[in-house]
Each structure stands twice: as structure tokens, then as C-alpha cells.
Amino acid sequence: MQKEHNLSKNQKIIFDLIDKSRGPMKAYSILFNVQKKGIKAPLQVYRALDKLVEIGKIHKIESRNAFIACQNSSCQVSKATAFSICESCENVSEISNSKLSRYLSNFSDSSGMKYSKYNLEFFGLCKKCKSK
Amino acid sequence: MQKEHNLSKNQKIIFDLIDKSRGPMKAYSILFNVQKKGIKAPLQVYRALDKLVEIGKIHKIESRNAFIACQNSSCQVSKATAFSICESCENVSEISNSKLSRYLSNFSDSSGMKYSKYNLEFFGLCKKCKSK
DNA sequence: TTATAAATGTTATATTATTACATACTGTTA
DNA sequence: TAACAGTATGTAATAATATAACATTTATAA
Ligand SMILES: [Zn+2]
Ligand SMILES: [Zn+2]
Ligand SMILES: [Zn+2]
Ligand SMILES: [Zn+2]
């Protein structure tokens, strides 16, 4: 069960925006969109983003410097994330596949290093874009 | 077999620097280090980096905005990359594990999307840091 | 040689993210 | 309630990362 987090005012404004958006959002696009709600500075956005990432409500798509709402309420709070990214339309979706997450969470290599976290990004063409 | 690429002057300067370096290097740190060799502008660095990434001689560590020389001469030219990152000392190494790469290269989910590329970053504490 | 692609040089600018410092709010416990 | 700790906010300035635009040069190959 996931801990219930009471979002603060700014966190809520920013989470709601990202959650409503179709795809990943970039920080300065978020900033632009929340200025009418009184959030004026980049730092206000980045602070809320940091917190939202930390508690697993959103994830950062590292290869795109963009943020997406978690589409998988049962995922291990930002510790194990996998995404599918269309290189044509930039559509992103979170992959929720228990076999994959089990495989990766248990993965260990010859170095003997134990991993507590991973992020995986797959790239390709989505169905729509492939059929064009 | 990997195609032999003849690196241009700037590409060679920058590749050699990254290859010699212990860990991943950031673009502006590269710039600083090659200024004595006549490379003066960020764009010169980024162009070389783009090319080197494209041909698989280096990889970008997305979560760190940094670049590392490919440690795996037989890897599928930047199409399938996996890294282990220590969150304490920031040591990064490229994971070369045929089972893992086979598993991920063949992975497909319910969306029916076929992936041509992936990047995986594992995080944890390396042996040294864990024993501290 | 002529054409084409690839690489370079240079200036300016766009985009992404953090530092530093002051203030306010929220929940806990003495 | 008062004192405290932890979290969140506001604001300005700046750092760090990356690209646009344009002119020129070098390499490759038909
Ligand atoms: Zn998630
Ligand atoms: Zn698409
Ligand atoms: Zn490699
Ligand atoms: Zn370490």
C-alpha cells in the first residue's frame, strides 16, 4: 500500500497540470502554464517536481528532460521505472510489466553491486507512427 | 563486426579525452579541457559528441548529462545500453551482459510496439561505498 | 572536376536547473 | 499555548546545458 501524501498547494497545482496533460511536460512549459495560478519562478516549479518525483507521483523522462504522471499506482515509488517512447510523435507511456520489473529488480552482475533503483527507456515507433 | 570510423580532428580530440578520463565527462568540462587544443565553442563540443554517440564510440548517461567512452566494443552501436551508477561516488560502468541485452532487445509489451533501442540505468552503491 | 556530404568556426541565444537568502506554514510535543 | 522542527514558499540572481543561424572549409566519391 502506498503512503498517502498530502500535497501542498504548489505541488497540487503542478501535479494536476501534469496529470491532465496528454504527454510528458517540460519544466518551463509547466511554469508558463501555472503562472496564472501565482507560481512565478522556475524554482517553485523545480521544488514541486523534486518532491513529486520523490514520492512517486510523477517520473522524469531522463532522455527528454520532461515529467509525466505515474500511470501505475502500484509501482515501487520511483525506484523501478520503465517507459516506452515513440521517436516520431514523442508519445510516452509507462510500462507496467511484472516480469520485466521482477527481472530488473533482481538483476545483478559480476561486479557484485546491488541495485536499489533503475530507470529503463525503450525507443521505437508507436503503432500509429509505424503505419504512416 | 563494427564499421571502422575515421574520426575527424575535433572528434578525435574529444574522444581521446573522454576515453582517457576515469569517469563520465560533462560537456562543459570537456570544453574547458580542449580549449588549449583550439576548440573554443560549446557547439564544437556538442557536434563531436553527437557524432561519437551516433557511431557508438561514446554513450550519454542521461541521468547525469554526461558522456562516457563505450567500454564494450561489441555492443550494438548505441542501440542497447545499460549502465551501473553509484549514487555516492558517481562511478559509472557499462554493463555487458548478454542475457540482459537479449532479454531487453526481445522485450515487447502489450502495446504491440516494437523497440529498436533502449537505455537502462541502474543505481545503487558500489562495493567501495557500501563498505564505508 | 564537379558535386555532395561532412565537418568546422563563430556569435548569439535558448533551455534547463541551482544557489542564496528571507519568510511562512504545519504538525508535534513540552 | 509556546517552542521547536520540518517542510514549503517567495524572490532575485546566476549557473549549467544545449541549440539556432550563418559562413566557410575539408573530405569523398561519381
Ligand atoms: Zn510509475
Ligand atoms: Zn508515434
Ligand atoms: Zn557501449
Ligand atoms: Zn561508489
Side-chain angles (χ1 to χ4, degrees):
Chain A
M1 193 67 84
Q2 209 159 354
K3 185 171 181 301
E4 191 54 46
H5 284 277
N6 297 313
L7 301 184
S8 72
K9 178 171 138 280
N10 288 0
Q11 288 160 16
K12 186 156 177 15
I13 291 169
I14 286 171
F15 175 72
D16 287 345
L17 176 67
I18 298 173
D19 195 37
K20 280 196 314 260
S21 116
R22 293 239 185 93
M25 293 195 74
K26 308 202 130 210
Y28 277 72
S29 151
I30 292 168
L31 175 57
F32 179 82
N33 276 276
V34 297
Q35 276 177 334
K36 46 183 169 295
K37 305 226 173 187
I39 295 177
K40 293 174 197 158
L43 190 49
Q44 294 174 291
V45 172
Y46 280 104
R47 283 197 285 222
L49 290 173
D50 285 352
K51 186 67 184 184
L52 291 167
V53 166
E54 185 192 323
I55 65 180
K57 300 280 287 179
I58 65 173
H59 303 300
K60 182 170 188 181
I61 309 299
E62 294 287 358
S63 65
R64 300 299 187 259
N65 297 319
F67 300 85
I68 193 172
C70 178
Q71 292 161 36
N72 176 12
S73 65
S74 67
C75 85
Q76 297 166 59
V77 183
S78 289
K79 294 272 190 274
T81 48
F83 302 96
S84 132
I85 303 172
C86 175
E87 289 187 296
S88 171
C89 69
E90 292 294 325
N91 179 70
V92 173
S93 57
E94 188 168 357
I95 294 174
S96 164
N97 183 297
S98 55
K99 261 191 172 171
L100 176 67
S101 60
R102 210 174 319 120
Y103 183 85
L104 293 176
S105 297
N106 293 328
F107 179 81
S108 74
D109 65 3
S110 49
S111 76
M113 184 167 164
K114 180 79 184 105
Y115 305 115
S116 55
K117 227 161 86 176
Y118 67 79
N119 179 57
L120 170 59
E121 298 180 3
F122 280 109
F123 305 91
L125 293 177
C126 74
K127 266 187 165 173
K128 268 189 204 164
C129 291
K130 194 153 42 180
S131 64
K132 267 175 198 160
Chain B
M1 195 67 83
Q2 210 161 352
K3 184 172 181 300
E4 191 53 48
H5 285 277
N6 297 313
L7 301 184
S8 72
K9 178 171 138 281
N10 289 359
Q11 289 159 17
K12 185 154 178 17
I13 291 170
I14 287 171
F15 174 73
D16 286 346
L17 176 66
I18 297 172
D19 195 38
K20 278 196 315 257
S21 114
R22 293 239 183 93
M25 293 195 75
K26 307 203 131 212
Y28 277 72
S29 148
I30 293 168
L31 175 57
F32 179 80
N33 275 277
V34 296
Q35 275 177 334
K36 48 183 167 295
K37 304 227 174 187
I39 295 175
K40 293 175 198 158
L43 192 49
Q44 295 175 289
V45 172
Y46 280 104
R47 283 197 286 223
L49 290 173
D50 285 351
K51 185 68 183 183
L52 292 167
V53 166
E54 185 194 323
I55 65 181
K57 299 280 286 181
I58 65 173
H59 304 300
K60 182 171 186 180
I61 309 300
E62 294 287 357
S63 65
R64 299 299 188 258
N65 297 319
F67 301 85
I68 192 171
C70 178
Q71 291 162 34
N72 175 12
S73 66
S74 67
C75 86
Q76 297 165 59
V77 182
S78 289
K79 295 273 189 271
T81 47
F83 302 95
S84 132
I85 302 171
C86 176
E87 290 186 295
S88 169
C89 69
E90 292 295 326
N91 180 70
V92 173
S93 57
E94 187 167 358
I95 294 173
S96 164
N97 182 297
S98 54
K99 262 192 171 170
L100 176 67
S101 60
R102 210 174 319 121
Y103 183 85
L104 293 175
S105 296
N106 294 327
F107 180 81
S108 75
D109 64 2
S110 49
S111 76
M113 185 167 164
K114 180 79 184 105
Y115 304 115
S116 55
K117 228 162 84 176
Y118 68 79
N119 179 58
L120 171 59
E121 298 179 3
F122 280 109
F123 305 91
L125 293 179
C126 75
K127 266 187 166 172
K128 267 190 207 165
C129 291
K130 194 154 44 181
S131 64
K132 267 175 198 160

